[in-house]
Each structure stands twice: as C-alpha cells, then as structure tokens.
Amino acid sequence: MSELRGPAPYDALLLLSFGGPEGPDDVVPFLANVTRGRGIPEERLKEVGKHYFLFGGVSPINAQNRALLDALRKDFADHGLELPVYWGNRNWAPYLTDTLREMITDGHRRIAVLATSAYASYSGCRQYRENLAESLSALEAEGLPVPRVDKLRHYFNHPGFVRPMVDGVLASLADLPEDVRAGAHLAFTTHSIPTAAADTSGPVETHGDGGSYVAEHLDVARLITEAVREETGVDHPWQLVYQSRSGAPHIPWLEPDICDHLETLHADGVPAVVMAPIGFVSDHMEVLYDLDTEATAKAAELGLPVRRSATVGADPRFAAAVRDLLLERAAVEQERPVTPCALGSLGPSHDLCPVGCCPARALKPAAAGADSPF
C-alpha cells in the first residue's frame, strides 16, 4: 500500500503470546502460572496437564512463535523495515516482564504489540492488556522508564490471515476421498468461552448474544466458505462450533462442542467433515489434543472421514499482514490518511480499545486502551 511509509513513531515490535511448557517438568509450574490466584491444588494441575504429558510435556506454541519471529524478521528485512522484533509470553519463558525490561534496556520507548489472538474477547485481548499494564507497573517500580505500548488491531479479517486458512481448507477437502468430498461439511472451530464473556466482547455497542467474539468468527467462516465455493464450485454446508471448554459445569459456555457436532452430523448422514480451527493462530495444545486427538478419535469411532485444516502459523502472508498492520498503525499515529485492509462485512477493528470493551472479570488496569494508566 503506497500510503504506508515507515514505522515511526515505533522503534520495536513485541510479539506477545500465551506461552507453553517445553518439557515434562514445566507442565505443572506452567499451569500454576495460568491458574494463579484460583487456589487449584497441585494434584488437580497434574490431572489438567495430562494432555501435555501425552506430547512429552511440550506445547507446540513456543516453537510456532519462534518460527513466526523468524518469518517476521525475514519479511521486515526483505522490505527494508529496520525494526527489531522481540517476543514475550504471559505464562512461560520468555516472560513478558523480562522481555519488556530487555526492550527498555535496549533503548526502546515506543512499542507496537502484536498479540497471538486475532479476535475480540476478554481472554483474547483485555487480559493481554492487563498483563502489559502489570509488567509496566513492575518495571516502573524498578525505576525504569516506562515505554508507551500500542496493541495492533484485531486482524481476524485481514486477507493475510484469512487466505492461508482458505488454502488450508482447500487442501483438506482435496485430501478427502473423492466420493465424499463434494458432500463434506465444514466445521469452523474456536475456543469456547463463557457466554457472559462472549456477550460482552468488543465495544459496548456490540454487546449482546455473542458480542464481537461470535460475530467476528462467523464473518471469517463466511469468507472462507465463499472463497472455497468460488474456487471449487461447491457450496459446502458449514457451522461455527467450539472446543476446549474448561471451568465449572454450571456456568454456560458457547456450544456446540466439536465432538457433539460430529455425532450430530454423522446421525444426519453427512459423509465427511473438514475441521478448520479458525480461532487459533497456530497449533496450540488445544488443536493437537482437542482436534487431532480427541475429535479425530470420535470421528473414527463413528466411521466419519475427517480432515483438520492448517492454522496460519508462520505463513509468509501472515508475516506480511503483520507488517501491514504495523505500518497502518504508524500512519494513524503520524496523522496521515490510510485505508485499513479488511475483508468481510465488519470492516477493520478499532485501533484503541474503548472504555467498556471486553470488560474485566475484576477491576484491573489495562494498557493500550482508552482507559489505560500508561
């Protein structure tokens, strides 16, 4: 885009992610970080961590983030963008506070932040902002100069995020047996969250009955389905479904669950299913276990052919999209006109999270928003 020039005022990019264990000894301490303040005993954490132990105690997310870091640095270098890229996690090394300390020590004072969560929700946006505020407050208490951090907008409908998922679905359809391919249903999956959190996701004006969280996922699912129809000539039936529910059973969460959905489709005579994890940037443990292990086993039990399409991961088109988002936000900060890149019916997301957007479970400061103390 010709109107996108340099990255000023930004002097660094921070890749902010969830983090994950990288060995069996890391699993319980990692889960203790994730559930801090909830008083969950160690034995319960070991039970919760059984999915990780099935994979040697290693979550794929850190390796995926290293690959994304490499892709971002290559893309920036290939396009003459001299901007260092750092990586920090909320729940495991490299920890966010340590990374921000390193960035401050390196002289960075205006930091753009890319969170590895594409959609609006408390856990996918505001909680990252709360972690940023907590880390900045801790560093301020150490006597360090506090940088300004700006979180890049939600990118669920950026073509550099959507197109790799389209290609993933097309590849999965092509991998199905020819006699069931045309009748295959598309099951677009994302992380289930409490319905109360979904209903209050996004700005206040979007609250109610799923809020921005559900609306954004539905828009992406439509975009992918339309692209598949244009390229194959087949109009595949589809539905947005959920996975990875956790928490107390009496609290309503978004449904249906992917395994229940597979049972329903089988009962209805559907010949095959492609599971497309559009809610995940990369192959989180939820993808490896809940889809590749649990849902795939359910499909095998039913005799239902299934394929799981690829997540975006470190696709070069996604790295290019991050560069686009960064330069777009820089243009806004420079008060230059810019046309944000977005597909679908919802348009580009906001640059600055407004007051009341994805409200907190308890009142806590959050960085990079209209109500930010930093």
Side-chain angles (χ1 to χ4, degrees), residues 14-20 26 29-34 36 62 87-103 131 135 139:
L14 169 63
L15 177 64
L16 176 56
S17 194
F18 192 82
D26 296 344
F30 163 73
L31 291 173
N33 287 341
V34 174
R36 186 181 292 112
N62 282 356
W87 167 37
N89 289 326
R90 289 170 44 192
N91 297 298
W92 201 248
Y95 288 104
L96 173 59
T97 302
D98 295 335
T99 299
L100 282 171
R101 185 186 296 107
E102 179 186 1
M103 296 177 81
N131 294 140
S135 292
L139 295 171

XYZ file of all heavy atoms in Angstrom, residues 14-20 26 29-34 36 62 87-103 131 135 139:
293
model
N 6.720 -5.997 19.603
C 6.676 -7.064 20.598
C 5.647 -8.098 20.176
O 4.469 -7.770 19.996
C 6.310 -6.501 21.970
C 5.960 -7.521 23.060
C 7.145 -8.428 23.374
C 5.471 -6.814 24.324
N 6.082 -9.342 19.987
C 5.185 -10.464 19.767
C 4.779 -10.983 21.139
O 5.610 -11.492 21.899
C 5.892 -11.555 18.966
C 5.107 -12.849 18.706
C 3.886 -12.581 17.843
C 6.007 -13.900 18.070
N 3.516 -10.833 21.476
C 3.004 -11.184 22.807
C 2.123 -12.412 22.693
O 1.115 -12.411 21.981
C 2.219 -10.006 23.385
C 1.531 -10.222 24.733
C 2.513 -10.668 25.804
C 0.800 -8.941 25.154
N 2.497 -13.474 23.427
C 1.779 -14.736 23.308
C 1.466 -15.328 24.681
O 1.789 -14.752 25.721
C 2.590 -15.714 22.460
O 1.806 -16.810 22.063
N 0.844 -16.504 24.634
C 0.372 -17.170 25.852
C 1.501 -17.929 26.547
O 1.610 -17.927 27.756
C -0.758 -18.131 25.476
C -1.529 -18.677 26.636
C -2.552 -17.946 27.211
C -1.239 -19.932 27.148
C -3.279 -18.455 28.285
C -1.954 -20.448 28.223
C -2.981 -19.703 28.788
N 2.340 -18.591 25.744
C 3.401 -19.405 26.317
C 2.948 -20.832 26.562
O 1.759 -21.130 26.593
N 3.929 -21.717 26.725
C 3.604 -23.107 26.982
C 4.819 -23.875 27.462
O 5.956 -23.444 27.270
N 8.046 -28.810 33.194
C 7.478 -27.462 33.067
C 5.959 -27.442 33.214
O 5.377 -26.375 33.436
C 7.806 -26.869 31.686
C 9.284 -26.650 31.460
O 10.039 -26.657 32.453
O 9.679 -26.481 30.297
N 4.298 -26.251 36.796
C 4.581 -24.831 37.024
C 3.900 -23.915 36.002
O 3.428 -22.829 36.351
C 6.104 -24.747 36.923
C 6.586 -26.108 37.275
C 5.555 -27.039 36.725
N 3.844 -24.339 34.752
C 3.164 -23.555 33.730
C 1.680 -23.410 34.058
O 1.121 -22.305 34.022
C 3.334 -24.213 32.361
C 2.362 -23.742 31.315
C 2.481 -22.489 30.737
C 1.316 -24.571 30.909
C 1.564 -22.052 29.779
C 0.407 -24.151 29.946
C 0.533 -22.884 29.385
N 1.037 -24.521 34.394
C -0.392 -24.467 34.716
C -0.644 -23.673 35.990
O -1.688 -23.027 36.131
C -0.947 -25.887 34.841
C -1.007 -26.678 33.528
C -1.400 -28.117 33.791
C -1.971 -26.024 32.548
N 0.315 -23.702 36.915
C 0.195 -22.873 38.122
C 0.216 -21.393 37.743
O -0.506 -20.579 38.337
C 1.321 -23.200 39.095
N 1.033 -21.032 36.760
C 1.041 -19.648 36.274
C -0.298 -19.279 35.649
O -0.852 -18.201 35.896
C 2.154 -19.449 35.229
C 3.535 -19.426 35.845
O 3.697 -19.204 37.040
N 4.552 -19.651 35.020
N -0.828 -20.175 34.827
C -2.081 -19.909 34.121
C -3.237 -19.728 35.097
O -4.109 -18.873 34.903
C -2.387 -21.053 33.129
C -3.762 -20.872 32.493
C -1.307 -21.132 32.059
N -3.014 -18.952 38.397
C -2.613 -18.246 39.612
C -3.786 -17.487 40.235
O -4.553 -16.821 39.549
C -1.480 -17.262 39.305
C -0.917 -16.584 40.558
C 0.187 -15.607 40.213
N 1.379 -16.309 39.719
C 1.812 -16.232 38.476
N 1.164 -15.513 37.581
N 2.889 -16.901 38.103
N 5.442 -22.536 21.617
C 6.708 -21.803 21.638
C 7.486 -21.999 20.340
O 8.073 -21.047 19.808
C 7.551 -22.217 22.847
C 7.074 -21.552 24.132
O 6.157 -20.720 24.118
N 7.682 -21.917 25.244
N 10.014 -11.026 21.669
C 8.968 -11.994 21.986
C 8.855 -12.143 23.503
O 9.849 -12.368 24.196
C 9.308 -13.335 21.334
C 8.504 -14.518 21.789
C 7.190 -14.568 22.110
C 8.994 -15.860 21.950
N 6.815 -15.839 22.457
C 7.903 -16.645 22.366
C 10.241 -16.451 21.776
C 8.033 -18.018 22.616
C 10.363 -17.819 22.012
C 9.265 -18.588 22.428
N 7.624 -12.028 24.007
C 7.359 -12.232 25.421
C 6.049 -12.981 25.619
O 5.097 -12.808 24.842
N 5.988 -13.823 26.667
C 4.804 -14.628 26.968
C 4.149 -14.196 28.275
O 4.812 -13.689 29.179
C 5.189 -16.107 27.108
C 5.556 -16.744 25.797
O 5.002 -16.415 24.758
N 6.511 -17.679 25.843
N 2.869 -14.492 28.364
C 2.128 -14.232 29.595
C 2.440 -15.249 30.678
O 2.479 -14.907 31.867
C 0.623 -14.250 29.310
C 0.115 -13.066 28.508
C -1.316 -13.275 28.069
N -2.151 -13.800 29.143
C -3.372 -14.292 28.970
N -3.892 -14.346 27.774
N -4.068 -14.726 29.996
N 2.639 -16.524 30.284
C 2.642 -17.599 31.279
C 3.885 -18.478 31.296
O 3.948 -19.404 32.096
C 1.409 -18.491 31.056
C 0.118 -17.730 31.259
O -0.161 -17.234 32.338
N -0.668 -17.618 30.196
N 4.852 -18.224 30.423
C 6.071 -19.036 30.426
C 7.189 -18.261 29.740
O 6.955 -17.281 29.034
C 5.847 -20.391 29.752
C 6.880 -21.406 30.175
C 7.859 -21.962 29.406
C 7.047 -21.950 31.489
N 8.617 -22.832 30.164
C 8.141 -22.843 31.449
C 6.366 -21.776 32.695
C 8.580 -23.556 32.568
C 6.804 -22.479 33.814
C 7.899 -23.359 33.747
N 8.404 -18.722 29.963
C 9.572 -18.048 29.400
C 9.540 -18.082 27.864
O 9.124 -19.097 27.285
C 10.842 -18.724 29.909
N 9.968 -16.995 27.246
C 10.417 -15.724 27.833
C 9.233 -14.908 28.372
O 8.288 -14.628 27.628
C 11.086 -15.009 26.652
C 10.367 -15.539 25.447
C 10.058 -16.967 25.758
N 9.305 -14.575 29.656
C 8.205 -13.865 30.299
C 8.117 -12.420 29.819
O 9.129 -11.771 29.517
C 8.373 -13.894 31.813
C 8.117 -15.248 32.436
C 9.167 -16.053 32.855
C 6.823 -15.722 32.594
C 8.934 -17.300 33.428
C 6.576 -16.960 33.159
C 7.637 -17.747 33.581
O 7.398 -18.981 34.135
N 6.881 -11.929 29.771
C 6.609 -10.585 29.278
C 7.412 -9.527 30.006
O 8.019 -8.646 29.381
C 5.100 -10.297 29.400
C 4.651 -8.878 29.088
C 5.020 -8.465 27.672
C 3.141 -8.753 29.318
N 7.445 -9.561 31.334
C 8.162 -8.536 32.099
C 9.650 -8.537 31.755
O 10.260 -7.475 31.587
C 7.970 -8.758 33.606
O 6.560 -8.738 33.901
C 8.659 -7.672 34.420
N 10.238 -9.725 31.630
C 11.655 -9.820 31.294
C 11.922 -9.253 29.902
O 12.924 -8.564 29.676
C 12.122 -11.271 31.369
C 12.047 -11.840 32.779
O 12.105 -11.043 33.741
O 11.923 -13.071 32.914
N 11.032 -9.546 28.961
C 11.219 -9.049 27.603
C 11.077 -7.532 27.552
O 11.873 -6.845 26.888
C 10.216 -9.710 26.640
O 10.428 -11.125 26.631
C 10.374 -9.173 25.227
N 10.086 -6.993 28.247
C 9.928 -5.538 28.279
C 11.132 -4.869 28.939
O 11.578 -3.804 28.495
C 8.639 -5.162 29.011
C 7.348 -5.330 28.214
C 6.139 -5.129 29.129
C 7.283 -4.341 27.051
N 11.662 -5.486 29.979
C 12.859 -4.942 30.623
C 14.024 -4.890 29.631
O 14.769 -3.907 29.553
C 13.229 -5.769 31.847
C 14.419 -5.182 32.640
C 14.853 -6.094 33.773
N 13.820 -6.247 34.792
C 13.099 -7.356 34.969
N 13.319 -8.416 34.173
N 12.196 -7.439 35.903
N 14.174 -5.970 28.862
C 15.221 -6.015 27.843
C 15.009 -4.918 26.802
O 15.968 -4.253 26.378
C 15.218 -7.394 27.172
C 16.258 -7.540 26.060
C 16.129 -8.869 25.326
O 15.228 -9.676 25.669
O 16.919 -9.090 24.378
N 13.764 -4.718 26.399
C 13.474 -3.710 25.385
C 13.778 -2.302 25.906
O 14.332 -1.461 25.182
C 12.010 -3.813 24.954
C 11.664 -5.133 24.282
S 9.911 -5.297 23.835
C 9.888 -4.377 22.295
N -2.020 -7.806 31.434
C -0.658 -8.301 31.664
C 0.381 -7.254 31.299
O 1.396 -7.095 31.986
C -0.421 -9.573 30.865
C -1.265 -10.747 31.328
O -1.766 -11.522 30.523
N -1.451 -10.889 32.631
N 3.072 -5.641 33.964
C 4.517 -5.656 33.722
C 5.092 -4.247 33.709
O 6.161 -3.991 34.290
C 4.815 -6.350 32.383
O 4.516 -7.728 32.451
N 7.989 -2.680 36.211
C 9.222 -2.075 35.719
C 9.344 -0.621 36.169
O 10.450 -0.142 36.454
C 9.269 -2.182 34.194
C 9.351 -3.620 33.661
C 9.176 -3.650 32.161
C 10.670 -4.270 34.060
